[in-house]
Amino acid sequence: MAVAEFHHDAQDKLRHACTLVAQWYRDGRRVWIHCDSEPLAARLDQMLWVFEPLAFVPHVRDGHRLSEATPVTIGRDPAAAPVDAIVLNMAQSLPAGFEQREHIVEIVSRDPADREAARARFMHYRERGFDMQTRKAEA
């Protein structure tokens, strides 16, 4: 059964995203970070280089010549994500083709507008039969 995992009450969504991605990388998982804007993708790209001084998370932007061989990709078209990748949805809307994904992760901040948009996505995933999981964000 497909899983939609919501991390709620994040003080810093981007930092929490980097922490999750680093852990998934260490666990040998492939990750697709879905961004709906270029500035957000650029910010995450930069943060993954510097957020932990002694950690390195190999990552590329979608379309890079090494994207097939790199475990973490930042992109805007989740349909291009490897089938086995965790999709980390950093957008305010559902990622295209989410129905074909086995594991989607959402990070929800304390901002009321962000929480409301996340509630709508939560309901949508649940209506589509996803196994819904929630946990408190640590960052």
Side-chain angles (χ1 to χ4, degrees):
M1 175 181 279
V3 174
E5 181 180 324
F6 279 71
H7 293 242
H8 59 87
D9 293 326
Q11 289 181 346
D12 184 338
K13 284 177 70 166
L14 299 180
R15 177 138 184 88
H16 188 66
C18 289
T19 300
L20 290 173
V21 169
Q23 182 61 54
W24 293 327
Y25 167 66
R26 287 190 295 270
D27 291 345
R29 302 291 311 265
R30 296 200 65 171
V31 181
W32 180 275
I33 305 173
H34 174 58
C35 297
D36 58 359
S37 72
E38 177 58 31
L40 176 59
R43 177 80 193 267
L44 273 166
D45 186 12
Q46 180 62 30
M47 284 186 72
L48 281 170
W49 286 109
V50 299
F51 90 104
E52 284 184 2
L54 299 177
F56 173 67
V57 177
H59 65 282
V60 295
R61 302 287 291 274
D62 185 28
H64 189 279
R65 64 182 176 83
L66 296 175
S67 62
E68 291 294 319
T70 305
V72 177
T73 303
I74 302 168
R76 296 181 69 182
D77 180 11
V83 174
D84 62 338
I86 295 171
V87 174
L88 175 57
N89 185 25
M90 298 300 292
Q92 288 295 314
S93 59
L94 292 164
F98 74 90
E99 301 91 344
Q100 286 81 41
R101 295 290 157 191
E102 288 299 314
H103 193 172
I104 298 175
V105 177
E106 301 264 357
I107 301 172
V108 185
S109 72
R110 296 175 179 173
D111 175 69
D114 189 46
R115 293 170 70 111
E116 190 62 33
R119 281 188 190 105
R121 293 191 307 276
F122 186 97
M123 298 293 287
H124 203 82
Y125 291 129
R126 186 169 61 189
E127 290 168 0
R128 299 301 187 278
F130 278 71
D131 176 24
M132 304 305 296
Q133 298 178 4
T134 61
R135 43 185 56 89
K136 186 163 175 50
E138 297 174 10

